Amino acid sequence: MKKLIVITGASSGIGKELAIKFANEGFPLLLLARRVKLIEELNLKNAICKSVDVRNYEDFKNAINEAQNIYGKVDCLINNAGIMPLDKIFNLSLDTQYDMVDINIKGVLNGMNVVINDMKDANAGTIINVSSVAGRWTSENRVVYNGTKFGVHAISESARKELAPYNVRILTIAPALVDTDLISTTTNEEVLNNYHNFKKNLKGGLSAKQVAEVIYYAYSLPQNVSLKEIVLSDTKQVV
Ligand code: NDP
């Protein structure tokens, strides 16, 4: 039996395609998101599906422990869950700003916290944090989103240095535009129109499946090959 893979945000977009890819490659999976029905409907083999909000550390930890009791220790955690409500900072409620911080940053910390000591003790393991090009450069309507993804970049880079002596890999993946539902938490009509026009000009950008293939490739390299950061976009996307 191959080793256990944990994927957050597996109910749609990149996480869903990751779940399908890893299942097709024969890995046992723990798949997490709030809309668990959408994950169950994928009907994937050897997949435990749990309704977990990544903000809830206890639920996150219990789900991982339950899966580990069946499939053994986690070999790869993919922190993919995220939200992107775009708008000017003066239009975004503080609650929405906090949600972004809690899901995009604290969700990543929660997941890392559950697995990191076991990986360190095992001298093996991989953590893949899904950041964004928004973690490398700032742009309009992304004040807090940029902040969270810069945070994910910084956390991943620093943790990578601390975990390297223990043979644990940490990969930051930074996609540009991917054709998913990520914009669904944005409500400002003008921001939505601009986003959709940009997306249309790029014919949708990368597909979630393409991103999942790249992540799978990085994981499938031998444990001593650490692809530290991947920045990827549709070739026609300039930034
Ligand atoms: P989707 O909206 O399609 O997927 C987001 C996933 O995150 C869903 O499965 C959702 O599940 C899950 N999620 C959101 N909030 C929570 C929560 N509180 N607890 C658990 N799961 C949660 O978007 P993408 O696939 O595009 O997004 C995946 C990642 O990729 C995000 O981190 C995003 O920032 C990043 N990204 C996306 C880009 C793009 O252009 N699409 C570009 C760069 C990075 P549910 O609602 O069921 O809980």
Side-chain angles (χ1 to χ4, degrees):
M1 175 66 87
K2 291 187 174 175
K3 290 180 179 164
L4 176 62
I5 313 290
V6 179
I7 301 168
T8 70
S11 61
S12 74
I14 297 168
K16 175 180 162 182
E17 292 299 333
L18 282 168
I20 294 167
K21 175 68 184 169
F22 276 90
N24 286 343
E25 298 292 338
F27 287 87
L29 302 173
L30 172 64
L31 303 175
L32 307 175
R34 292 164 301 180
R35 294 168 297 167
V36 70
K37 226 175 171 326
L38 293 178
I39 314 179
E40 286 165 350
E41 281 166 9
L42 298 174
N43 222 355
L44 299 173
K45 211 174 156 205
N46 295 324
I48 299 173
C49 311
K50 290 273 173 197
S51 176
V52 167
D53 186 319
V54 292
R55 289 171 287 194
N56 188 323
Y57 178 74
E58 283 307 311
D59 285 357
F60 205 160
K61 188 168 97 179
N62 290 340
I64 289 182
N65 285 340
E66 203 179 305
Q68 291 191 139
N69 286 338
I70 300 169
Y71 294 120
K73 292 288 181 194
V74 175
D75 192 54
C76 179
L77 165 67
I78 308 179
N79 281 311
N80 163 74
I83 58 166
M84 186 184 71
L86 300 184
D87 211 329
K88 300 275 185 286
I89 188 161
F90 43 79
N91 289 332
L92 279 184
S93 73
L94 201 51
D95 279 348
T96 304
Q97 298 180 36
Y98 285 170
D99 278 348
M100 256 186 282
V101 171
D102 289 346
I103 295 169
N104 298 2
I105 299 183
K106 286 168 79 177
V108 169
L109 293 176
N110 283 342
M112 287 176 71
N113 190 275
V114 180
V115 300
I116 218 156
N117 279 299
D118 282 344
M119 288 185 176
K120 182 172 163 277
D121 291 346
N123 254 269
T126 303
I127 295 171
I128 299 175
N129 291 334
V130 181
S131 185
S132 166
V133 289
R136 288 176 61 96
W137 47 81
T138 60
S139 51
E140 203 182 357
N141 297 313
R142 287 168 173 76
V143 173
V144 181
Y145 186 68
N146 278 140
T148 64
K149 293 302 187 180
F150 271 69
V152 173
H153 260 75
I155 289 162
S156 308
E157 271 178 42
S158 295
R160 182 188 308 126
K161 289 175 189 157
E162 295 184 359
L163 271 297
Y166 301 94
N167 200 39
V168 176
R169 300 186 295 186
I170 301 189
L171 163 72
T172 317
I173 178 137
L177 186 69
V178 188
D179 191 7
T180 70
D181 293 337
L182 186 65
I183 196 70
S184 66
T185 49
T186 294
T187 51
N188 182 318
E189 284 298 327
E190 194 187 336
V191 176
L192 277 171
N193 284 339
N194 290 340
Y195 179 88
H196 287 305
N197 285 337
F198 180 67
K199 195 167 169 177
K200 207 166 138 196
N201 284 338
L202 278 172
K203 298 194 167 64
L206 292 171
S207 71
K209 192 169 175 211
Q210 288 171 323
V211 178
E213 294 277 351
V214 170
I215 292 175
Y216 180 78
Y217 167 73
Y219 171 72
S220 66
L221 292 168
Q223 182 74 31
N224 73 315
V225 181
S226 173
L227 246 182
K228 292 175 158 62
E229 182 177 355
I230 300 175
V231 184
L232 72 164
S233 75
D234 182 286
T235 304
K236 288 185 178 151
Q237 182 167 356
V238 178
V239 287

